[in-house]
Structure formats: structure tokens, C-alpha cells
Amino acid sequence: MQHHAADRTKSFTRRALFVGVAQTALFGLLAGRLWQLQVDEAPRYSLLAEENRVSQRLTVPPRGRIFDRNGVVLAKNTPSYRVRIIRENTRDLEATLASLARLLPLDQRQIDEIIRTARTQRAFLPVLVREGLDWEEVTAVAVHSPHLPGVVLDSTLLRTYPQGEVLAHVLGYVGPPNKEEQAADPDPLLRLPEFRIGKNGIEHSYDRELRGRAGRRRVEVNAIGREIRELDRDDGEPGHDVRLSLDMELQQFCYERLSSELSASSVVVDVNSGAVLALASVPSFDPTAFLGRLSHQQWKEWRDSPRTPLVNKCIRGQYPPGSTFKMVVALAALEAGLVTPGYDVFCGGFTSLGNARFHCWKSHGRMALFEAISQSCDVYFYDLARRVGVDGIAAMSRRFGLGSPLGIDIPGEQPGLVPTSQWKRDTLGEPWQRGETLVIGIGQGFMLTTPLQLAIMTARMCNGGRAVEPWFVRDAREPLPEFGSIGVSKVNLDLVLEGMHRVVNAQRGTAHRHRLALPEVQMGGKTGTSQVRRITRAERAAGLHKRRDRPWEHRHHALFVCYAPTKAPRYAISVIVEHGQSGSAAAAPIARDIMLKVLELDPSGRSLSVSL
Amino acid sequence: MASQARIRPSEFGIVEKLGKLNWALVTVLALLGCVGYLVLYSAGGGSHEPWAWRHGVRLVFGLGVMLVVALVDIRFWFRWAYVFYALAFAMLLGVEIVGELSKGAQRWIDLGLFQLQPSELMKVGLVLCLARYFHSAYLDEVKSLFFLAVPLVCIALPAVLVLKQPDLGTSVMLVGCGAALLFLAGVRLWKFGLAIAAVAAALPVAWASLHDYQRQRVLTFLDPETDPLGAGYHIIQSKIALGSGGVWGKGFLQGSQAQLSFLPEKQTDFAFTMLAEEAGFAGALVVLLLCLAVVALSLVVALRCSHQFGRLLAMGIAVNFFLYVLINVAMVTGLIPVVGVPLPMISYGGTAMITTLLGFGLVLSVDVHHTTNIPRFPTDL
């Protein structure tokens, strides 16, 4: 018995010690594992813990403002008050909203929507109740705030355009970035819900300058994303202001002057620099409509209107240039040495080619270069066009900036169209007809130009043949680029300018009625009337093509291009009145008034006593 | 009942017993409980609510229970060992049946101060039961396979019931503790080899019977990164918390992982992680050493005990405690799957602490009565 007990004790002691050693070894294993995690791999896990703990919150910097050349504010940021509610800070969400509804116009549907949103998101995240509060509402909410737990009143910056519709086409507007914009731009700002990106116009072209750099707040967050405290912050950089070449007073004048017409546009450029001083398209739209919720009905109305308020016609409207194109045809002939200024053509009211008759707007009799331009004789230019040929005219057109975008610094510019025989074969698969060359000679047919192109064409004619390009914004620190020559001789340019001078200032010029009534400043110009649809033989026979009672959409476009002063040209203007019927009657007086305003605003011309 | 009357009066009085008490073991356990208080104070975000305060109350209550148990004559515990096991088993079966009937998952009995989990009580019951059984056995008997059938059933029955709850962690602990006692009682090593081979053969069957969530736990354990926001989240966050704690920790109440709620279950299963994040490797090592001290002191108690019952009892309780610590720490450090075993004395949870202290009350009682003669057969008590 004793023997057994001693054996058992010995066995137990041995085995207990073994168990103790095993336990110690396993504890050693645990300690080793802890060493591995907490000492060897500590740097890696510390980083992961920081990533967990610290969240970067970006803040949107204030967007840069936009000014005109004289410092007039064109786009700015206005504080807009909003009311938000944080569920976890309210004792009773529904009761608080009911109290709010007595101060703000909130209907039951909106309240239900707010409650639903609040219940589906984290309790500490705010839900927007209402934004764009007026001052009375702000004070009402502020006064009652002690009784409105969880209600937060704060302000955001809203983009506003003090000039409204007058600049809507130039400035564009801002909106939330879409998926494509986010994909194309790695800037973290674009991922923020409050960020607004430039959607059109200057806002789009200079978005990178205007938007600034995102501010960063590093905050400590817990596992569900609640902010515990702010660790540090970097306020970022506010967007840069942008100054335009545009003169707001002139722009305003152009817009109002054009508003006498249903649909019209005008461009004013500095002929030496290409700076755009005014770019107006009528009618326009209210840019603030795009900030809030644009009603579908309003959108449809704007989209479907034949007056195209949403389209910037200055750069997107493409019209046959009509007679305003005749200078280019004349230069093509002169430069090719095919005609001299004294070369004359007899106008009997039409010219014949095979069986076809090509009409002039009247019987001019014998016409040389100056008379042909100033009286806008079609027959003379039919003759020149036939001599030069379509491809010669096209080459000269391109020198004046027609047929391709000029690269103005707002998006959406259309190229227009300068047809060639090659072009017709490629696109229509048909050979060029000789008659089509004649039609091109008077700026009709396939020819298409934009008002901006016509203004630049005029500028290049009167600035000594330098290839200026249009722009709104230039870095003030950089000198203007030297514009290259378009390769047209000064002598020939002066001949054409003399013709344009006579359009306005000669007794029988087509725009004689609309000359400047100033003692020492004169302008040169050219009228144009471009057909919207072909005049049928029957219509011409009945004289219907000249009647004022044709449907508006069937009437001719009225065009006018001009420059001043004739002695030392500084400004070029183009005006197009859609379906304005006659360049001399509808477009020329508008252009004249705008030119007077331009000269009045001219720093060196302010001494002139201008009376409008 | 009649046999109880035959217990001879103890050779010592209460005061004498208190003097003979193993105060080192009491101190180490109380220290661990206090560490637990601090961890739970931090887990509550620097507040006694909601965990630390109740933990403290339970600690005091548990230490009281431990001292009472320690002073009770070891022959009393020997006498009632099987009854204690039977009671625990009945309760286990009871909650199992009630749970089955109500289709609910409640496997505890609400006692107000804590919710009594019979499975925790079973751990003490099993140790008592096996200690008594082997106390009466000769070494030769232990070598007989037939003789081992009874203890094997005693281990298997509760283990299977607990596994069905389902509580894999406790089940593993019951089997582990039982196996350790069999080993200490003298069961030959080759028999363990045989058992391990049998278990290996049964693994595919066991896999098939596992709950989906248990399988998921095993699978995510093998590769937690496959499901970083789902099942793998706990263990990844735990490792981040441990690793970022570094050598000296982030400081009391400064553990970003725990304080910002990235660490789940920081008051229960992951309390050790929280401690190691805020107190660093140094703090974690101190706690491990305290635990090792508990195990070592118990080993000393067992070695100097004159009776087999006391030796096995002390070792059994110590192994049980050791398994708690081993499984919990291995779990939070990503060495084994998350099986839901708390860290005794530190994790929030009433039953685990009370039964741990109850168990060490028995160890202390063994120590106080280490010279008491317990005959092989209870009739001689």
C-alpha cells in the first residue's frame, strides 16, 4: 500500500513538473508572439493604427472672382444661409422639425423626406433642411435656436453673377462635377460634394485658376467615422481672381442695343491685340437658374426656342457671311494679280452662266473696285470669283481666320466652313460646279462664318494684315505675342479699306445713312445680307423675296462688319441680326451705335464730345 | 448525509487556517483583478460605468467566495465532489433543454450580480470529479483501459453538451483540462497518442458538424485578410492594436484602437488587446508573468500536498486557468481562431471570474489542508 502511494506520488511529481515546464514554454511562446507583434512589427501596425485613427477631411476653398478690364465684379461668392439638423442632438426629431416649420416654409412632404434621410444615415451627420434663407428667416431661426436643439444654422458660399444674363454666355456657370470630369482630373476637390466646377465659358476655361487648392483638416475619427477632434489643418489656397479683357459697360450696352431684335449677336475686338471687348448674344438666360433646381419646363422652353437663348451665337452661330465676304474675294483677285483697282465690270442686274442666271440686288451699271464694294455689287464679285476660282478664295479666307476655330478661351467655338472643290468631293462625293464658285463670290452657298470670325477677319484687314487671335484673359506679366503677318500686301489691304470707308462715308455707300456723326473720327464697314433659304424663281418673279411679311424664320440674316477710326484703326465690330432682313437697315445702325459707345469708352477718345 | 457526520473535526481553527493561507496566490489573483478593473475603466472611456464598477463588485464578492471555500475542510470538498459535478451537469443539461425548447440561445441562469453559465461551473465540477476518482485509484488501475472508461465519459458528456451550445472554446478547455488530469493521474503516454490519432481521424466528421459561423471563423483565421471588413475584422484590428502599442504602450486611456472603437469586444474577449495597446509589450508581459505566477504557485501547492485528491485538484484548477490565458492570448494575437474565451480576472464577465476564484478557493483549501489525511475510501473520512 505504502509502496503504491509512493509510486503514485513520484509519478505525479514527475508529470506535474512536466506540465509546469510545458505551461512555462507555452507562456514563452505567447510572449514571443507578443514580441513579434509589438516590437518587431510595431512600425507597420502603428502606421495602420494611424490610418484608422486619422481621417483627412478636405475643405473647398472660395472660388476666385472674375472682373472686367476696369475691375467691375462679374462673378463672386455670396454667403447663403442654410439650416441643417443633426439627429443625435435633437431630443425629438419630429417635434423639432415641426417647430422649424413654423419659422420656415416647410411642407409635410419635405419634413417626411428629411426624417427619412436622417434615419438612414449616421446620427451625427447633418441633414439639410433648407438653404438660401432670406434674412428674416435667418434671424427667426437664430432667435429661436435655444428651443431648437440639433438645429445648425450656417452659411455656404454661393456663386453669383451680378451681371445676370448679360454675361451668361461668356462666363458660363458652375455645377457639381460629373463622372467624366472626376475621371479626367485627379484633384481631390472634385470628390467633394460641395465643390462646384466650371461648366461653361470662362468658368470652365479658367477653372484651374479659379478653383484654388483644397484645404485639409486632419481629424481623429472613431470606427464609425465620427469626428473626435481636429488634429491640424491647412486652409488651402483660395482660387485666383481672373480679369477679363471685356469692358462691362460696353458689354451691357451691346446687350441692351441688340435686345431691340429677336435674335442677334455682336463681337467687339481690339484690332491690334485681339482682346475681346464685348461679346453679346441675344436673347440670353439667367445663369442663377443653373445653381438651383432648373425646372424642366424652363429648360425645355430655352432649349426649344427658335431664338436659341442657350446658344452663344457669337461663337456657335454659323451664318453665310453674305456681302461682308466680298473684301476677301477682292483681295484674292488683287493678290493674284488678276485685277487692278481700275478693272471694271458692267452690272446689268444679273450675270449668266450656261442656262443659269445669277442675280444682283439691282442694276449698278459700270463698276470698279471701290464702287463694287461700297455699293455691294454682286455681278462684279461673280466676275472676280470666276477669275480666282473657289480654291483661291478658300486660301485667302483661311488667312483671315475663316473656316477653323480661332481658339478663343471659352469652349464651344464652331469652325464655320470654307468650301473647296476637294472638300465637296470628299464630303458630298460630287464635283464642284462653276456656278457654286459665283455664289461663294458673294459669301453664299456652302460658306459659313461665325460673328467672332467676321470681327477677327475685319481686324486682320485693318491692322496691317497681322494674324491676331481673340482672347479674354492674358497673363498681365507676359507681353502680347507678336502676331505674324497673314501675307497680304499693305497696298491691296488699303484698297479694300478704302472701299469699306466708302460703304459708310460715300454718298451711294450701302451704309451711308449709318455713318458716325463725328467731326474727326470715321469708320469703315461692310453690309451683308445672307439668304436663309434659296429664293425660288417664282418668288423672285412675284417680288416675294423682298416682302416684309414673310415668316420670321424665312427672312434673310442681316450682317454688318466695321472698324474705326479709319485713320488708325483700333476696333473691329461684327453684328449679325438673325432674320433681320437687311444688313444696311437692321445690322448697320446697331453696329454704328456700338462703335460710338466704343469710341466714347476709348481712353484716348473720352475727350470727344459724343452725343448719342 | 450520514457519512458527513463522520468527518472528524478539523485539526485547525479558523484563525490558524487564515495564517496558513497561501497569501501569495491570493495577492497575485487580487492584482490580476485590479488590472482588470483598470482595463475596464479604460474600456468604458475613462469611466467606472458601465463595466469597471460591476467588475470591482464581483471581484470583492469572488474573493470572499474564494476565502470561504479555502477555509472549508478539504474533506468536505472531497465528499461532495461527485455531487458538485452532478449538479453542474444537471444545470448544463437544464439550460440545454430549456434553450432547445425556447429555440433561444440563452445558456445561462440570471443571478442578478452575474449570469451563471453552467458550462463555467462545469470546469470546476469536472476537476473535482476527476480528482476524486483518481484519488481512489492505484497506479496499476489507472493503466487499465476499462478503468478509464468512467472518467472519459465524465469528460465527454459535458464537452459534447457545451459543444452543442455551441461553445467551441469551453468545450476545448474541458477536454484539455480532462486530458491534463488523466496525464497527471498516470495514464500512459501512448494512450494519448492513440486518442490524438483518433481525433485526427474524426476531424473531417467534426468539420461537417460545425456550425457555419464556426467554420467561417476557422477559415478567416487561416487567412483573415480575405474578409477585412467582415469576419476577419476583429482579428486584424486586434493585431493593429497590439502592434501599434509597441514596447511601452500608448498610455492609459490613450489606446486609439480601443478608445475609438476600432477594437471590437474590448471589454470581453479582447480585453488583453486593449491592455497591451495601452500598456505595451511591457504591460502585457507583466500580466503574463502574473498569470504564470498563479500557475507556478498552484504547482507548488500541488507538489507539497500529501494527498492525491489535493494534488490533482490544484493542478486541474491551474491547468484550467492556464488554458483560459493560453487560448485567449493566442486568439487575440492571431495564433488560433477567435473561439470566444475570455481572459480570467480581467475580461468583463461574471461567471468566469467567480468560477475562477471558486476554483482557486479549492486550491487554497488544498494548501491549508495539505497534510490532512484523506483515506482512499470516503467511508473512513
Side-chain angles (χ1 to χ4, degrees), chain A residues 161-173:
Chain A
Y161 304 100
Q163 315 299 337
E165 58 175 13
V166 176
L167 272 177
H169 292 128
V170 173
L171 297 179
Y173 54 93

Side-chain angles (χ1 to χ4, degrees), chain A residues 26-222:
Chain A
L26 283 168
F27 268 128
L29 178 79
L30 292 182
R33 173 65 169 167
L34 284 171
W35 175 272
Q36 183 191 5
L37 288 175
Q38 298 199 273
V39 182
D40 285 352
E41 296 179 17
R44 181 166 91 89
Y45 286 115
S46 296
L47 204 69
L48 289 172
E50 275 304 280
E51 275 177 25
N52 267 345
R53 177 177 82 98
V54 178
S55 170
Q56 280 213 354
R57 303 278 155 104
L58 296 177
T59 52
V60 179
R63 197 171 172 84
R65 293 166 299 171
I66 304 175
F67 297 101
D68 88 334
R69 66 189 303 126
N70 300 314
V72 175
V73 179
L74 308 181
K76 60 178 179 178
N77 308 305
T78 336
S80 160
Y81 290 91
R82 64 178 177 185
V83 165
R84 295 187 295 170
I85 192 159
I86 298 172
R87 175 158 60 97
E88 68 170 4
N89 295 348
T90 60
R91 277 188 292 274
D92 180 347
L93 182 66
E94 288 174 44
T96 310
L97 281 170
S99 320
L100 260 182
R102 284 193 284 278
L103 308 171
L104 302 171
L106 284 179
D107 61 38
Q108 195 52 48
R109 225 190 58 225
Q110 288 168 306
I111 291 177
D112 292 344
E113 176 74 36
I114 292 162
I115 291 173
R116 201 167 59 241
T117 314
R119 296 249 157 92
T120 52
Q121 65 182 29
R122 302 264 192 214
F124 57 85
L125 291 176
V127 186
L128 181 69
V129 175
R130 194 177 153 79
E131 57 187 344
L133 270 66
D134 63 34
W135 192 241
E136 256 174 60
E137 292 168 337
V138 170
T139 40
V141 173
V143 165
H144 289 85
S145 59
H147 314 295
L148 295 168
V151 172
V152 183
L153 179 67
D154 61 2
S155 67
T156 51
L157 290 178
L158 214 62
R159 191 69 161 170
T160 51
Y161 304 100
Q163 315 299 337
E165 58 175 13
V166 176
L167 272 177
H169 292 128
V170 173
L171 297 179
Y173 54 93
V174 293
N178 59 32
K179 284 209 174 67
E180 294 78 50
E181 285 163 337
Q182 284 175 337
D185 192 338
D187 191 334
L189 268 176
L190 270 71
R191 277 84 198 159
L192 300 183
E194 317 93 275
F195 178 71
R196 295 290 176 269
I197 196 169
K199 289 291 189 183
N200 209 342
I202 296 292
E203 293 274 31
H204 176 82
S205 302
Y206 293 95
D207 190 69
R208 278 174 196 279
E209 287 80 357
L210 290 165
R211 72 164 72 142
R213 188 171 58 76
R216 279 176 174 74
R217 284 169 63 230
R218 292 200 325 131
V219 291
E220 187 175 86
V221 294
N222 69 5

Side-chain angles (χ1 to χ4, degrees), chain A residues 277-413:
Chain A
L277 302 174
L279 189 126
S281 177
V282 168
S284 182
F285 60 93
D286 178 7
T288 52
F290 286 94
L291 290 176
R293 255 175 234 161
L294 180 63
S295 79
H296 185 68
Q297 199 190 337
Q298 174 72 78
W299 164 251
K300 247 186 86 156
E301 192 186 314
W302 280 343
R303 190 195 57 191
D304 298 337
S305 166
R307 299 167 62 196
T308 61
L310 294 176
V311 176
N312 182 356
K313 290 186 272 271
C314 297
I315 60 168
R316 295 184 63 81
Q318 303 185 93
Y319 312 88
S323 301
T324 58
F325 186 60
K326 285 174 177 167
M327 289 81 80
V328 176
V329 179
L331 283 167
L334 289 165
E335 285 285 299
L338 296 172
V339 296
T340 59
Y343 171 79
D344 61 14
V345 170
F346 179 79
C347 170
F350 65 89
T351 197
S352 295
L353 188 76
N355 296 329
R357 271 190 177 188
F358 293 83
H359 293 273
C360 188
W361 60 282
K362 73 181 219 187
S363 262
H364 287 97
R366 196 151 288 280
M367 291 271 116
L369 179 67
F370 296 149
E371 297 85 56
I373 292 177
S374 67
Q375 296 178 38
S376 200
C377 175
D378 291 347
V379 169
Y380 178 89
F381 286 97
Y382 291 146
D383 182 81
L384 257 53
R386 188 161 46 190
R387 288 165 179 274
V388 178
V390 63
D391 296 336
I393 296 172
M396 185 56 70
S397 303
R398 295 202 166 271
R399 296 195 197 181
F400 284 96
L402 306 180
S404 54
L406 289 163
I408 190 169
D409 44 0
I410 55 175
E413 191 188 359

Side-chain angles (χ1 to χ4, degrees), chain A residues 1 4-5 7-9 11-13 15-20 22-24 26-27 29-31 33-35 37-39 41-43 45-46 48-50 52-53 220-224 228, chain B residues 134-135 137-138 140 183-184 186-187 237 239-240 242-244 246-247 256-257 260-262 272 276 280-281 284-285 288 291-292 295 299 303 308 311-312 315 319 322 325 329-330 333 335:
Chain A
M1 189 69 94
H4 276 300
D7 266 3
R8 199 165 69 165
T9 309
S11 159
F12 174 83
T13 305
R15 292 188 171 210
L17 285 171
F18 176 80
V19 168
Q23 285 172 327
T24 311
L26 283 168
F27 268 128
L29 178 79
L30 292 182
R33 173 65 169 167
L34 284 171
W35 175 272
L37 288 175
Q38 298 199 273
V39 182
E41 296 179 17
Y45 286 115
S46 296
L48 289 172
E50 275 304 280
N52 267 345
R53 177 177 82 98
E220 187 175 86
V221 294
N222 69 5
I224 55 168
I228 306 298
Chain B
F134 285 108
H135 176 81
Y138 292 116
D140 292 341
F183 172 73
L184 289 164
V187 174
Q237 293 301 338
K239 281 161 80 175
I240 292 175
L242 286 166
S244 62
V247 177
S256 66
Q257 284 286 105
L260 299 173
S261 308
F262 290 102
F272 184 79
F281 175 71
L285 202 62
L288 278 187
C291 293
L292 188 61
V295 171
L299 180 65
L303 288 177
Q308 185 75 345
R311 293 177 195 141
L312 290 176
M315 279 308 282
V319 165
F322 166 77
V325 179
V329 176
T333 51
L335 289 174

Side-chain angles (χ1 to χ4, degrees), chain A residues 240-258:
Chain A
H240 293 289
D241 292 342
V242 166
R243 178 173 287 233
L244 303 189
S245 60
L246 200 110
D247 184 321
M248 190 54 216
E249 193 179 340
L250 180 66
Q251 174 78 11
Q252 181 78 35
F253 180 86
C254 289
Y255 188 80
E256 280 168 12
R257 184 64 187 85
L258 290 168

Side-chain angles (χ1 to χ4, degrees), chain B residues 292-310:
Chain B
L292 188 61
V294 169
V295 171
L297 286 169
S298 304
L299 180 65
V300 172
V301 168
L303 288 177
R304 73 175 188 173
C305 181
S306 64
H307 44 85
Q308 185 75 345
F309 176 69

